[in-house]
Structures are given as C-alpha cells and as structure tokens.
C-alpha cells in the first residue's frame, strides 16, 4: 500500500490511468530512531519508541522531487486556492505571457474530469491531469509519478494547479519552490484569518479578479492586513487574469524565481563536481 | 478529510515497525498532535479506525497527546503562548512569530506484543 496516496490509492488517476501500488524504497535511516524500549518475549507486551513524523514519508518524496528539480534547474510553483478563485484562467494567461520565453509544463489536480488539463493543452504546453478521486489534495508521491510522465526540460517551469481547497493542500510539501495562494475579491476579506495555514504556508499571494472591485464592497487593505497578520513576509500582487492588470508584475516575479532556480542548478553541478 | 491520508501514513509507519521488530499486535499508540497542526483529532481517530481494520493495529488504543502552541517573537524575542496563527506578540504587538511548538504530528511510542 502506498502510504502517501492516502485518500484511496485505487481512486487516484494520472491522465486517466490508475496510479498503481508499488513497493517503496525505504532509506537506510528510515528506522534509525526505532529501537526496542523493553525487549522481551514476543508474546509479552513491550514498549517501542518510534518518534516518527506522520508526514515523514511524504516529506522524503518531496525532498526527492526537489532534488530532481534542482539538478535540472526547474522552477516548480504550487498554485493553491479555494474552488472558483480563477486559478485556471490565471494559469492560461500566465502561460501565454511566458511560453515564448521558457518551456512550461503543468500538473493539474482535481477530484474528477480532465477539463482543466484540456484548457491548458489548448495553449500548446504539455499538461497532465491527476484525478484524486475522493482525495482533497495532491501529495509528493503523486507529483513524483507525474514528473516522470511529463518530459520536463532543463531550466523550465512546472506549474502545479492543486485541488481547489484552502485547507488540506497546506500541509503537504510537494517539493515546490513556493506555494502561491490565489484569493479572489469575490471571496471574503477574512479568508486569510479563516484559513491561516494556507496563507502561512504560501510565499506569494495573488489577489485575483481585481477588475470587479468597483462592483463589490471588498476592502483590499483589510485583506492585506489580515494576510500579513498570518504571514508578515507574504508578498502580495493584485491582479486581474481577464483584464491583464498586475500580470506583468507576476511574470517578473516568476522570471526572477527562474533565475534563482538556474543559480541553484549551477551550484548543484559545482558541488557534484567538487564532491 | 486529509486526516484519512494521515491515518494511512500512520498505518504505514506501524506496519514498517511490525516488519522490522516482529510484533503482531499493537495494543496502544502514543502520538503527539500540536494544536497548530492541520489535524482535526476526531477526524484522525475516525480515519484511523477505518484504515486499521484487519491489520496489526486493529485493536490499538490511540492516545493523542495534545501539544499547546508556543512561539518566539522575531522582533522582541519573547517566548509566548500561541493559540492561532494570527496572534500578535502580547509584549510588542508584532505578528512575526516563529512557531516553536504546536505543529507536531508524530507517533512517539507503541505498546506491542
């Protein structure tokens, strides 16, 4: 059984195919902290110290994804939001703005349908759909499989559009460089306080649908203040995916991060050569 | 309901330990769950009871040790109690708080035979 495909392994589909069970490698140090506390006859009760984080397995997969990305200079961004924030539209516009400059691939996460992957493929970039079935989030093991199936290019960008959910994806490291949380102005101003884990886990917040502000009583400054209470270092960009407002600033942010990924790759190569 | 996948991860840890150490029954599991972690304890108990059916941990009692949130203010360095992720430092009012306790989500010990 695959421990990290938690929400029903046999219900997870990558591009329509069941994500098969397989044996996992267990690193030698996996049981390093496990020892018999009170060794005795097998039929007698004994206490076993174990000290293992529940997400340790997911975190190992995430680390392995991160290592692969660093070796290939790939920037992976994990886009998270509630359903209906405009993630896919924003992603389509982002791809249009970047695709002549950089190779791009996309992993789409949804419980059902491959409609989002189809929207992404219509832009001409490769996209892979993960259907989580009943699952509420993507995990690092699913992403590792998806990365193997996509043909990722050196110094490219890999976007993950996570399952629309402001709760569960916060706790799962996928190996991404950054979580980018998208909040639309048609949602409540207090979302950062109501769902603080996600806003704390993110490094960038895109406040989307800002073209609708004239028709709403949404207080942008209050939202930004709430977001900064949860995460004082959260960078915030106001955007409108449909009107293009703020998109150049978002694109600049991405390009700067791509340069960082390339620098990390060079350092990696140097450390491998010197090692 | 990510608690169900957390419960599956717990079972994996338990089954790995069973294979490693040759026990066939888990009687009790002690685990730490921080109040600031993304875990709803009742949902975790429910998820665990579902995934352990027919396994070595089928009859295990789950002892969840509650860990209160603690943080250190990045501005004035005070160590403070933290109940939410948007608490301000009671000494200086800053929201820049490093969480030092309360994010735990781990199995610490088991009673087995």
């Amino acid at each position: 059984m695959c421990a990290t495909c938690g929400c029903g392994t046999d219900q997870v589909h990558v591009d329509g195919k069941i994500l098969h069970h397989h044996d996992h490698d267990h690193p030698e140090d996996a049981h390093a902290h496990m020892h018999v506390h009170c060794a005795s006859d097998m039929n007698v009760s004994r206490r076993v110290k174990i000290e293992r984080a529940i997400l340790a397995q997911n975190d190992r997969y995430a680390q392995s994804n991160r290592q692969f990305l660093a070796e290939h200079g790939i920037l992976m961004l994990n886009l998270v939001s509630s359903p209906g924030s405009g993630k896919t539209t924003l992603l389509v516009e982002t791809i249009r703005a970047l695709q002549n400059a950089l190779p791009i691939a996309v992993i789409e996460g949804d419980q059902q349908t491959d409609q989002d992957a189809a929207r992404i493929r219509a832009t001409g970039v490769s996209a892979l759909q993960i259907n989580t079935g009943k699952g509420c989030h993507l995990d690092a093991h699913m992403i590792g499989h998806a990365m193997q199936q996509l043909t990722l290019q050196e110094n490219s960008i890999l976007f993950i559009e996570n399952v629309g959910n402001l709760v569960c994806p916060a706790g799962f490291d996928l190996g991404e460089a950054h979580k980018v949380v998208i909040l639309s102005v048609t949602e409540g101003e207090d979302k950062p306080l109501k769902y603080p884990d996600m806003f704390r886990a993110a490094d960038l917040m895109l406040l989307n649908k800002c073209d609708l502000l004239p028709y709403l009583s949404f207080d942008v400054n209050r939202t930004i203040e709430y977001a900064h209470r949860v995460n004082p270092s959260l960078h915030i960009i106001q955007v409108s995916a449909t009107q293009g407002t703020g998109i150049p600033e978002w694109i600049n942010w991405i390009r700067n991060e791509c340069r960082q990924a390339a620098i990390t790759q060079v350092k990696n190569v140097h450390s491998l050569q010197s090692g | 309901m990510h608690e169900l996948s957390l419960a599956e991860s717990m079972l994996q840890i338990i089954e790995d330990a069973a294979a490693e150490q040759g026990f066939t029954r888990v009687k009790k599991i002690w685990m730490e769950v921080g109040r600031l972690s993304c875990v709803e304890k009742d949902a975790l108990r429910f998820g665990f009871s579902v995934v352990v059916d027919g396994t070595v941990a089928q009859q295990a009692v789950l002892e969840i040790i509650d860990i209160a949130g603690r943080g250190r203010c990045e501005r004035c360095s005070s160590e403070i109690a933290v109940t939410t992720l948007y608490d301000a430092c009671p000494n200086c009012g800053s929201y820049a708080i490093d969480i030092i306790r309360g994010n735990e989500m781990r199995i610490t010990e088991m009673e087995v035979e």
Side-chain angles (χ1 to χ4, degrees):
Chain A
M1 150 111 37
C2 173
T4 52
C5 288
C7 305
T9 309
D10 55 354
Q11 294 186 12
V12 176
H13 291 72
V14 176
D15 258 16
K17 298 187 195 76
I18 287 179
L19 186 56
H20 291 290
H21 296 185
H22 60 89
D23 294 328
H24 297 296
D25 293 331
H26 292 285
E28 282 179 17
D29 66 349
H31 307 289
H33 301 293
M34 235 181 257
H35 61 268
V36 179
H37 192 54
C38 178
S40 58
D41 186 334
M42 298 300 271
N43 292 322
V44 176
S45 283
R46 58 195 162 117
R47 297 274 283 259
V48 179
K49 279 263 185 208
I50 187 160
E51 298 288 353
R52 275 197 66 186
I54 294 171
L55 285 176
Q57 185 83 318
N58 181 75
D59 292 347
R60 271 198 296 277
Y61 284 120
Q63 197 46 43
S64 145
N65 293 347
R66 192 165 276 125
Q67 181 65 29
F68 176 87
L69 295 165
E71 284 165 8
H72 297 274
I74 300 166
L75 173 69
M76 182 159 92
L77 298 177
N78 180 5
L79 308 186
V80 289
S81 80
S82 49
S85 67
K87 273 198 306 297
T88 313
T89 303
L90 182 73
L91 192 48
V92 166
E93 293 309 313
T94 305
I95 290 166
R96 287 198 177 122
L98 278 169
Q99 70 188 136
N100 291 330
L102 289 160
I104 300 171
V106 176
I107 296 171
E108 282 286 339
D110 281 300
Q111 286 197 322
Q112 302 291 344
T113 88
D114 66 348
Q115 292 183 4
D116 279 359
R119 281 175 71 186
I120 300 297
R121 286 187 197 116
T123 66
V125 307
S126 44
L128 196 124
Q129 180 79 50
I130 299 178
N131 285 132
T132 56
K134 305 290 182 209
C136 48
H137 60 271
L138 297 173
D139 63 43
H141 176 238
M142 297 176 198
I143 295 301
H145 276 280
M147 280 166 50
Q148 283 170 7
Q149 289 191 33
L150 285 163
T151 309
L152 297 173
Q153 296 185 45
E154 299 276 312
N155 302 116
S156 61
I157 305 179
L158 175 57
F159 289 105
I160 297 169
E161 187 180 339
N162 216 313
V163 178
N165 177 347
L166 271 181
V167 184
C168 310
F172 290 81
D173 182 10
L174 305 181
E176 72 274 36
H178 303 283
K179 284 188 174 71
V180 177
V181 64
I182 295 141
L183 177 66
S184 65
V185 298
T186 50
E187 301 172 61
E189 291 141 346
D190 50 3
K191 280 277 162 75
L193 299 186
K194 286 179 171 169
Y195 301 96
D197 292 303
M198 188 62 90
F199 290 84
R200 188 143 181 128
D203 296 312
L204 173 68
M205 172 173 131
L206 298 175
L207 188 62
N208 194 22
K209 306 190 188 178
C210 281
D211 53 302
L212 298 178
L213 282 171
Y215 312 103
L216 303 166
S217 58
F218 188 92
D219 186 335
V220 171
N221 290 333
R222 184 178 296 168
T223 305
I224 292 172
E225 187 213 323
Y226 286 160
H228 281 154
R229 279 192 204 176
V230 173
N231 182 353
S233 58
L234 186 66
H235 186 54
I236 298 171
I237 305 175
Q238 297 178 45
V239 300
S240 162
T242 55
Q243 302 300 308
T245 324
I247 298 295
E249 192 184 341
W250 156 232
I251 297 297
N252 280 341
W253 185 91
I254 294 172
R255 298 197 71 149
N256 187 47
E257 290 301 322
C258 283
R259 282 190 283 276
Q260 295 300 321
I263 293 166
T264 307
Q265 181 193 24
V266 170
K267 281 184 186 160
N268 234 292
V269 170
H270 285 166
S271 69
L272 285 174
Q273 283 171 349
S274 61
Chain B
M1 264 307 279
H2 64 291
E3 280 81 1
L4 190 59
S5 59
L6 297 178
E8 296 237 15
S9 297
M10 287 172 63
L11 179 61
Q12 179 80 46
I13 291 168
I14 293 163
E15 288 186 333
D16 284 353
E20 176 105 339
Q21 306 195 24
F23 57 81
T24 53
R25 194 160 89 91
V26 182
K27 295 169 76 173
K28 194 166 181 177
I29 298 158
W30 285 266
M31 66 182 299
E32 292 180 347
V33 174
R35 287 186 204 165
L36 302 173
S37 68
C38 320
V39 178
E40 178 55 44
K41 292 189 193 95
D42 289 342
L44 185 65
R45 282 186 189 282
F46 173 74
F48 188 72
S49 71
V50 171
V51 303
V52 296
D53 193 34
T55 73
V56 290
Q58 184 167 254
Q59 290 166 330
V61 174
L62 200 54
E63 184 75 39
I64 299 181
I65 301 155
D66 183 56
I67 308 286
R70 300 286 299 171
R72 182 169 289 110
C73 175
E74 286 180 18
R75 191 199 282 170
C76 73
S77 301
S78 331
E79 196 183 310
I80 58 169
V82 177
T83 54
T84 71
L85 291 178
Y86 46 87
D87 281 355
C89 172
N91 300 315
C92 75
S94 169
Y95 287 102
I97 310 291
D98 278 334
I99 305 299
I100 51 178
R101 290 277 277 160
N103 274 327
E104 295 79 0
M105 215 166 35
R106 58 182 181 159
I107 298 180
T108 53
E109 199 165 4
M110 293 189 289
E111 185 180 350
V112 301
E113 61 179 34

